[in-house]
């Protein structure tokens, strides 16, 4: 059997040799780094952070989703916590947001990112004074390890569960944020036009804001299509149309 090798003097053989060389280089890069050139390169964002919710922040004009964690949604409640001496559901979503605000404070944040999600948010691991705030949110019981995408913080979740802090404080199991979103969407799409359950609202100041079914103000928002308000089928569609997500207060 004849084997075609790189090399030779003709133009065809020279071109083939160059192609072989490039292929070898690419294989060596993938072998050394575990990734190909099609994957995102590392980007670093530093500066003052504005907390959007328990797992999302804005830094240097960029929206960043904290990698490997999923915090309770803003309107979400969790079971079994003493508030004012009374045992009952508590606002774990708002508590997560406030915990992240307190964790960061006024200190500068440095975030490392190599990819974006379907909503064009950078997925990032963020640090304050050398502390991994993704890990700390899970360790303090204000977020789950988002094992669908990463197992980086599984141990931190186990520590929080053992310490019975935050979402693990009750004997009852808190509904993971991903299940909460799924159920809220399922209920909302049954009554929304064509199943497009995201409400696009225009505020009194003219701001175009969209509300997902898990937004704390979702039920109060009314969509008046006569005044330019509209329904969206997903967040990517709302963002592409120039609307922004509702912010947690």
């Amino acid at each position: 059997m004849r084997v075609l090798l790189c090399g030779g003097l003709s133009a065809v053989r020279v071109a083939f040799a160059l192609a072989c060389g490039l292929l070898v280089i690419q294989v060596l890069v993938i072998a050394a780094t575990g990734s190909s050139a099609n994957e995102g390169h590392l980007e670093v964002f530093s500066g003052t952070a504005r907390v959007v919710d328990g797992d999302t922040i804005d830094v240097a004009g960029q929206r960043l989703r904290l990698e490997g964690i999923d915090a309770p949604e803003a309107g979400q409640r969790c079971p079994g916590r003493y508030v004012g001496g009374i045992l009952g559901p508590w606002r774990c979503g708002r508590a997560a947001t406030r915990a992240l605000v307190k964790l960061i404070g006024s200190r500068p944040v440095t975030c490392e990112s190599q990819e974006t999600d379907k909503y064009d948010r950078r997925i990032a691991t963020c640090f304050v004074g050398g502390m991994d705030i993704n890990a700390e949110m899970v360790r303090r019981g204000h977020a789950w390890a988002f094992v669908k995408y990463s197992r980086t913080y599984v141990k931190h979740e186990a520590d929080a569960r053992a310490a019975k802090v935050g979402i693990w404080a009750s004997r009852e199991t808190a509904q993971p944020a991903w299940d909460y979103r799924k159920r809220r969407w399922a209920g909302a799409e049954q009554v929304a036009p064509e199943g497009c359950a995201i409400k696009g609202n225009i505020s009194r100041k003219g701001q175009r804001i969209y509300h997902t079914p898990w937004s704390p103000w979702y039920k109060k928002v009314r969509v008046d299509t006569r005044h330019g308000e509209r329904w969206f089928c997903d967040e990517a569609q709302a963002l592409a149309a120039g609307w922004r997500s509702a912010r947690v207060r």
Side-chain angles (χ1 to χ4, degrees), residues 64-88:
L64 304 170
R65 177 68 162 78
L66 300 186
E67 185 173 17
I69 78 172
D70 199 7
E73 292 297 332
Q76 188 171 351
R77 293 173 181 262
C78 294
R81 180 172 176 178
Y82 282 99
V83 178
I86 301 175
L87 180 64

Side-chain angles (χ1 to χ4, degrees), residues 91-105:
R91 294 179 175 178
C92 52
R94 290 190 178 183
T97 301
R98 291 169 182 166
L100 186 55
V101 169
K102 187 176 181 180
L103 187 63
I104 295 173

Side-chain angles (χ1 to χ4, degrees), residues 2-238:
R2 296 180 62 187
V3 179
L4 183 61
L5 299 176
C6 294
L9 297 176
S10 70
V12 174
R13 288 183 176 178
V14 169
F16 183 71
L18 290 173
C20 285
L22 290 174
L23 179 60
V24 170
I25 291 173
Q26 185 177 20
V27 170
L28 289 175
V29 168
I30 294 174
T33 65
S35 62
S36 70
N38 292 328
E39 295 187 1
H41 63 280
L42 179 66
E43 290 194 39
V44 178
F45 303 91
S46 299
T48 302
R50 186 184 72 81
V51 174
V52 178
D53 56 33
D55 52 34
T56 311
I57 61 176
D58 289 338
V59 178
Q62 181 70 51
R63 179 141 301 182
L64 304 170
R65 177 68 162 78
L66 300 186
E67 185 173 17
I69 78 172
D70 199 7
E73 292 297 332
Q76 188 171 351
R77 293 173 181 262
C78 294
R81 180 172 176 178
Y82 282 99
V83 178
I86 301 175
L87 180 64
W90 58 290
R91 294 179 175 178
C92 52
R94 290 190 178 183
T97 301
R98 291 169 182 166
L100 186 55
V101 169
K102 187 176 181 180
L103 187 63
I104 295 173
S106 60
R107 295 178 292 174
V109 175
T110 298
C111 299
E112 299 176 352
S113 173
Q114 285 186 294
E115 59 181 320
T116 59
D117 66 8
K118 61 183 179 180
Y119 307 122
D120 203 32
R121 298 175 299 188
R122 300 294 307 192
I123 306 299
T125 303
C126 297
F127 304 87
V128 172
M131 175 182 63
D132 181 341
I133 62 175
N134 304 37
E136 198 64 16
M137 285 295 288
V138 176
R139 190 184 70 80
R140 296 188 183 192
H142 290 299
W144 289 269
F146 209 171
V147 293
K148 179 180 179 180
Y149 300 104
S150 171
R151 298 191 63 82
T152 302
Y153 302 111
V154 169
K155 181 182 182 303
H156 300 82
E157 181 180 292
D159 292 341
R161 191 193 299 259
K164 298 181 179 179
V165 294
I167 55 178
W168 309 108
S170 173
R171 292 181 180 179
E172 298 179 60
T173 302
Q175 186 179 49
W178 52 86
D179 285 339
Y180 178 81
R181 290 191 296 268
K182 182 178 180 179
R183 293 186 182 185
R184 296 282 292 197
W185 182 275
E189 72 175 349
Q190 292 180 9
V191 296
E194 299 181 358
C196 296
I198 295 178
K199 296 178 178 180
N201 174 253
I202 300 177
S203 72
R204 293 179 180 178
K205 295 182 179 180
Q207 295 180 323
R208 295 171 178 258
I209 304 169
Y210 71 83
H211 296 262
T212 58
W214 45 90
S215 163
W217 307 284
Y218 186 79
K219 291 183 178 180
K220 296 180 180 180
V221 172
R222 298 290 179 267
V223 177
D224 188 345
T225 56
R226 297 172 301 175
H227 293 90
E229 297 180 333
R230 55 180 293 192
W231 297 83
F232 295 101
C233 298
D234 56 46
E235 289 189 72
Q237 183 185 38

